[in-house]
Amino acid sequence: MEPCVPRECELDPDNTGFIAVENFTSLVEHHELQLDPSKLDMLLALVQSNEEGQVCYQELIELMSSKRSSSFRRAIANGRRTLQREILLDETGLGLYKRFVRYVAYEILPCETDRRWYFHQNRLCPPPVFIAIVTIVQIIVFMCYGIMLNKWVLQTYQPDFMKSPLVYHPGHRAQVWRFFSYMFMHVGLEQLGFNALLQLMIGVPLEMVHGILRISLLYMAGVLAGSLTVSITDMRAPVVGGSGGVYALCSAHLANVVMNWAGMRCPYKLLRMILALVCMSSEPSFMAHLSGAVVGISMGLLILRSYEESLQKQCSWWVIVFSFITFLLFAIFWNIFAYELLGVQIPPPP
């Protein structure tokens, strides 16, 4: 349940859009607002950082409703200088779920104040269901085809496997859903196991912190970029596997860890990074993985660095969106015209 924000007429009688710092400080200090401890810290820090004797009413609403806004980042920056609190690892008496939330905070977020904010405002609803649902569907589809073909490795060598309406095949590129649905098909048990393990270990914590919309957007952008890139660079090749989305998540997380190396508190981070890179480099379908990694390093890294901030207000976000749309339009025209113009002989679709 969201805290009740006092009516604007009570704090801003002249309807200027700003609240006097004296009124705002008195309101907060007398606990008329029922807030989480970390959110109360942010409000006090926002007051202390103001030099004009005013607080924007809209910033107050955004902060209290947990909306991502620039005011959060400014309050965080001031909070680092003025708020002296014990680090999250020192908190005792936590239940199992809260200990897991604390673990996720240290896995994903590089700043102690961000970790405390996430820990105090985290709610189980909505749960991180996107990655879990994708993984379950992938396992079910693999099991169905494994039973039907009586084959659990190198399923692509079976004609019936390639006849699936989910596989991307250049001969069926007019069926647009195949540019996405190929992520549910896998060559064999080893590819499925690798993708499922990585997307659960990395994707679920990312979704818990950054939300289902941002992480699903990142994952699906990696999937789409993977199939489109293969359709351009290897025009005769079919594609299966969800590695484009997995690489988008992994590369974004690894890049975020590297750029915030000193602040990240996840254990054995160097060893885990080396193992992840070794595993990622051992899979086939290089171009699909490369395109997923590019999406992760560009779009994904910006998303991960914008915790509790609005993406729409950042110029770099729109540059990335424009670049992705440009690539998308180029790939569409390529798939419509290039095959005929270049005289590419496509293997007959199964």
Side-chain angles (χ1 to χ4, degrees):
M1 181 177 179
E2 294 292 342
C4 179
V5 182
R7 287 177 297 178
E8 188 171 2
C9 61
E10 299 176 4
L11 300 176
D12 181 23
D14 297 329
N15 198 27
T16 62
F18 292 89
I19 307 167
V21 167
E22 296 80 6
N23 296 339
F24 184 74
T25 305
S26 174
L27 177 72
V28 173
E29 290 179 348
H30 287 84
H31 303 286
E32 295 179 31
L33 303 177
Q34 300 299 318
L35 300 172
D36 292 330
S38 184
K39 188 173 291 187
L40 184 60
D41 288 346
M42 295 304 104
L43 286 171
L44 290 171
L46 187 62
V47 172
Q48 295 166 1
S49 64
N50 187 275
E51 297 177 355
E52 300 179 358
Q54 294 178 325
V55 176
C56 178
Y57 183 78
Q58 185 60 37
E59 288 185 348
L60 169 64
I61 294 177
E62 289 180 348
L63 190 57
M64 291 183 62
S65 61
S66 296
K67 288 186 178 179
R68 296 177 171 91
S69 64
S70 58
S71 63
F72 175 85
R73 187 57 55 190
R74 291 205 302 274
I76 284 288
N78 183 265
R80 282 200 197 102
R81 296 192 298 270
T82 61
L83 300 177
Q84 300 296 327
R85 288 292 188 95
E86 293 182 354
I87 63 174
L88 204 56
L89 286 175
D90 294 334
E91 295 204 21
T92 59
L94 300 176
L96 181 62
Y97 174 71
K98 273 299 185 180
R99 288 201 297 269
F100 179 67
V101 171
R102 181 173 62 182
Y103 163 80
V104 169
Y106 277 96
E107 282 287 309
I108 304 301
L109 296 170
C111 171
E112 181 64 27
T113 312
D114 283 354
R115 290 190 284 255
R116 282 195 281 116
W117 172 270
Y118 168 72
F119 179 82
H120 286 295
Q121 66 89 37
N122 175 264
R123 298 291 184 270
L124 189 57
C125 185
V129 296
F130 174 75
I131 295 296
I133 291 175
V134 168
T135 304
I136 291 172
V137 174
Q138 289 172 339
I139 293 173
I140 292 175
V141 170
F142 178 79
M143 294 291 293
C144 290
Y145 277 94
I147 294 172
M148 182 178 67
L149 302 174
N150 194 26
K151 191 175 181 65
W152 304 96
V153 294
L154 300 178
Q155 293 183 349
T156 51
Y157 288 92
Q158 295 289 327
D160 288 339
F161 179 87
M162 297 305 297
K163 291 179 181 178
S164 169
L166 302 179
V167 173
Y168 168 77
H169 189 282
H172 291 307
R173 65 187 184 281
Q175 298 174 353
V176 179
W177 71 83
R178 291 177 181 261
F179 286 92
F180 296 94
S181 62
Y182 78 95
M183 72 180 188
F184 297 115
M185 305 291 289
H186 288 82
V187 173
L189 189 60
E190 69 288 347
Q191 187 191 28
L192 173 65
F194 172 81
N195 285 345
L197 181 64
L198 275 183
Q199 66 191 26
L200 287 174
M201 290 182 61
I202 296 178
V204 170
L206 287 177
E207 189 177 345
M208 289 178 64
V209 173
H210 296 283
I212 184 173
L213 291 179
R214 292 187 174 195
I215 297 306
S216 61
L217 172 64
L218 175 59
Y219 187 91
M220 297 307 296
V223 169
L224 180 59
S227 57
L228 289 176
T229 301
V230 172
S231 72
I232 295 172
T233 60
D234 193 355
M235 301 169 68
R236 296 165 53 89
V239 186
V240 295
S243 298
V246 173
Y247 274 57
L249 297 179
C250 291
S251 59
H253 179 57
L254 292 179
N256 191 44
V257 170
V258 171
M259 295 189 67
N260 299 281
W261 189 264
M264 298 300 291
R265 296 289 298 275
C266 46
Y268 310 111
K269 53 188 175 184
L270 180 59
L271 176 61
R272 291 162 61 181
M273 178 171 292
I274 293 174
L275 290 175
L277 290 174
V278 170
C279 292
M280 291 170 66
S281 63
S282 64
E283 274 208 292
S285 190
F286 173 76
M287 293 308 300
H289 298 165
L290 178 62
S291 58
V294 170
V295 169
I297 294 173
S298 55
M299 180 186 296
L301 183 58
L302 180 61
I303 288 176
L304 267 56
R305 296 182 66 187
S306 301
Y307 173 67
E308 288 294 344
E309 289 189 72
S310 174
L311 292 172
Q312 292 86 344
K313 296 179 181 180
Q314 301 183 46
C315 180
S316 54
W317 170 251
W318 293 111
V319 171
I320 291 173
V321 170
F322 176 77
S323 301
F324 188 83
I325 293 176
T326 302
F327 164 73
L328 180 62
L329 293 176
F330 171 79
I332 291 174
F333 279 98
W334 182 275
N335 278 274
I336 294 175
F337 301 110
Y339 283 79
E340 182 177 351
L341 292 175
L342 299 177
V344 178
Q345 297 297 321
I346 304 173

